[in-house]
Amino acid sequence: SDSTSGLIGSAGWDVSLGTGSTLDTDVTLVGHPGCVRLNAGTNAAGRVSLLLGATTGFSAISRGAGGAELYLEALVMAPGLSAANVEAIRFGIGDSATPAVYVLAEFIPGTDTDWTLAADDGTGPTRESGPDEILPDVWYRVGVRINADATSAQLVVDGVDVGTPVTTDIPTSQ
């Protein structure tokens, strides 16, 4: 269960924190102004979700906002990356802070060695891995591109399409 939630700034970003989690918006990272630090803490219930827009449903956005391609990108770095201190890093669109219906770029230490694109329309996930190993303490620009008719999703790392596009299990409404 969430222990805290609330809006960040005026653009509609929302944060959802699990037990023992923190969000630090006063972070100075050389060359990366505006970054926030998400810390899930050491509690088993620790989780941090940073959300934009509605926290339930995403039929308009998953269709590419009225016929346009949808591209989402985040700048991500995981210090001290290991299965012992990072459960998962996920970025994309979904139906909630812990989504059952989604299109996400994700990395799960102990399971993955590289970024993976995952899609689930509620019938079961499809996952396609990228080719490059993720290194700790390295910045990555991670993107998810969904075509206009939501029939293909592509993982993008540092501006380059990587891996095989996902063409099944892409949600078109929720």
Side-chain angles (χ1 to χ4, degrees):
S1 72
D2 294 341
S3 59
T4 305
S5 66
L7 291 178
I8 301 171
S10 61
W13 286 96
D14 190 16
V15 63
S16 176
L17 302 174
T19 304
S21 303
T22 61
L23 172 76
D24 185 359
T25 58
D26 186 24
V27 178
T28 303
L29 300 168
V30 175
H32 301 291
C35 285
V36 296
R37 179 175 291 134
L38 308 175
N39 181 1
T42 58
N43 186 302
R47 171 190 51 75
V48 181
S49 298
L50 193 57
L51 312 159
L52 178 62
T55 58
T56 59
F58 59 93
S59 60
I61 198 167
S62 67
R63 292 179 186 263
E69 173 183 276
L70 174 66
Y71 183 71
L72 305 167
E73 184 176 86
L75 185 63
V76 180
M77 190 257 287
L81 189 59
S82 75
N85 61 11
V86 176
E87 180 180 331
I89 298 172
R90 293 186 174 99
F91 168 76
I93 59 172
D95 61 347
S96 69
T98 54
V101 178
Y102 54 81
V103 178
L104 303 169
E106 67 180 1
F107 173 68
I108 304 170
T111 301
D112 302 324
T113 58
D114 49 14
W115 290 106
T116 298
L117 183 64
D120 192 343
D121 61 2
T123 63
T126 295
R127 299 179 86 228
E128 291 289 347
S129 295
D132 298 321
E133 182 177 352
I134 295 175
L135 302 173
D137 305 311
V138 173
W139 286 102
Y140 294 94
R141 284 183 15 242
V142 181
V144 175
R145 180 182 304 113
I146 303 171
N147 69 353
D149 57 357
T151 58
S152 179
Q154 177 67 55
L155 176 65
V156 180
V157 178
D158 293 330
V160 177
D161 291 359
V162 295
T164 302
V166 168
T167 57
T168 59
D169 297 319
I170 300 169
T172 56
S173 66
Q174 200 284 316

